[in-house]
Amino acid sequence: MTPLRSADELAPGMEFDLGGFVLPRAEVLEFAARWDPQAFHLDDEAARHSVFGRLVASGLHTYSAAVGHLIRSGLLAEINLAGGGAELTWPAPLGPDEPVTMRLVVVEIRTSRSKPEMAVAKLRYLVATAGDGTLVLDALGTHFLKR
């Protein structure tokens, strides 16, 4: 993906197709064991008796993978300065080995009042299953970007 050279290239409503990724089963289990050790992330039998009815990836893992995917895409490589927080929702669970696609939508972009050489961007991460388009992550992240 061609890197942006300035936050000034962004405008509300712009969308970027970032391709897709997969959370392999072994990685789902490893992440859960370390960071989110709930039975429905770790054990098939326990997960069958959970609200999900199957083993599912941690939402925190899904979000972390989406951030990594955005950074690896190279889109913000020349302008990303830092993150400033995020609002997260997981409308549906994501199973291990289930391919997803990711879109990035520019919700808001403005010049920083205290640092005019910097922009504050609200970027929506939309991650959906590749098979049927079910949304599994809707995250609104704040990014500080070079102008």
Side-chain angles (χ1 to χ4, degrees):
M1 179 163 276
T2 303
L4 297 170
R5 291 171 289 145
S6 168
D8 295 333
E9 296 176 51
L10 296 172
M14 291 177 76
E15 292 191 23
F16 299 90
D17 178 355
L18 299 181
F21 61 90
V22 172
L23 299 181
R25 180 182 173 83
E27 190 178 295
V28 167
L29 296 172
E30 180 182 338
F31 184 97
R34 184 153 186 198
W35 305 112
D36 195 358
Q38 298 183 76
F40 46 80
H41 298 319
L42 289 168
D43 179 83
D44 287 301
E45 186 59 30
R48 270 193 279 285
H49 300 289
S50 75
V51 66
F52 303 111
R54 63 185 172 119
L55 190 79
V56 296
S58 167
L60 298 172
H61 187 188
T62 305
Y63 174 65
S64 296
V67 171
H69 190 70
L70 169 60
I71 298 305
R72 281 189 294 279
S73 78
L75 180 68
L76 304 179
E78 296 178 17
I79 64 170
N80 195 53
L81 297 171
E87 297 173 27
L88 307 173
T89 60
W90 298 281
L94 177 62
D97 301 313
E98 193 169 358
V100 294
T101 60
M102 182 171 166
R103 284 185 303 127
L104 188 73
V105 179
V106 180
V107 174
E108 177 185 322
I109 184 89
R110 66 173 176 80
T111 300
S112 168
R113 289 184 282 279
S114 61
K115 296 181 181 179
E117 71 280 4
M118 186 169 71
V120 180
K122 298 280 187 177
L123 305 176
R124 185 171 299 283
Y125 302 46
L126 297 169
V127 177
T129 58
D132 65 6
T134 300
L135 195 62
V136 297
L137 172 67
D138 183 347
L140 182 62
T142 300
H143 288 257
F144 300 105
L145 306 172
K146 290 181 193 174
R147 292 189 63 230

